[in-house]
């Protein structure tokens, strides 16, 4: 918060849940491999396409925090929190990457 700059960004807008999950996992693994400690994951705030499409309805905004808390991400993620308004607010997350 204010001391560490964002070292990389990932925008998941427009991706299906399946695709977003895979892209997020690869992104975090690469960030860890590069020794990054703070990244921004943009999910969007939702409000677009219908709820069954898996995109545009805030599904990623709801699901990404659940994914980050799963055991499969535990080796990659120390923690996460909602981003400041200047970085997307409720449509983005600061993710602290675990040291490799």
């Amino acid at each position: 918060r204010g001391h560490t700059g964002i070292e990389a960004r990932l925008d998941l807008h427009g991706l299906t849940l399946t695709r977003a999950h895979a892209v997020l996992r690869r992104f975090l693994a690469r960030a860890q491999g590069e020794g990054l400690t703070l990244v921004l994951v943009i999910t969007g705030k939702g409000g677009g396409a219908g709820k069954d499409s898996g995109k545009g309805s805030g599904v990623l905004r709801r699901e990404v925090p659940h994914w980050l808390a799963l055991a499969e991400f535990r080796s990659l993620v120390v923690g996460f929190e909602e981003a400041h308004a200047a970085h997307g607010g409720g449509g983005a997350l600061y993710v602290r990457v675990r040291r490799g």
Side-chain angles (χ1 to χ4, degrees):
R1 291 187 178 194
H3 296 293
T4 304
I6 296 168
E7 298 169 298
R9 297 169 193 266
L10 174 65
D11 190 342
L12 298 173
H13 277 110
L15 299 181
T16 64
L17 286 172
T18 302
R19 180 85 174 119
H21 188 275
V23 168
L24 177 63
R25 180 121 172 77
R26 280 194 307 270
F27 172 75
L28 292 173
R30 186 172 52 248
Q32 184 182 58
E34 293 175 7
L36 306 183
T37 58
L38 182 68
V39 298
L40 182 69
V41 176
I42 302 163
T43 61
K45 294 181 181 177
K51 63 183 174 185
D52 295 331
S53 70
K55 55 184 175 179
S57 59
V59 171
L60 290 173
R61 181 181 179 186
R62 286 192 309 273
E63 292 300 317
V64 169
H66 294 295
W67 296 343
L68 294 172
L70 292 174
E72 73 176 288
F73 284 94
R74 204 165 293 139
S75 65
L76 300 170
V77 175
V78 174
F80 58 92
E81 62 185 294
E82 185 175 298
H84 184 274
H87 293 134
L93 297 167
Y94 296 126
V95 179
R96 295 217 173 268
V97 181
R98 189 175 299 280
R99 289 186 179 161

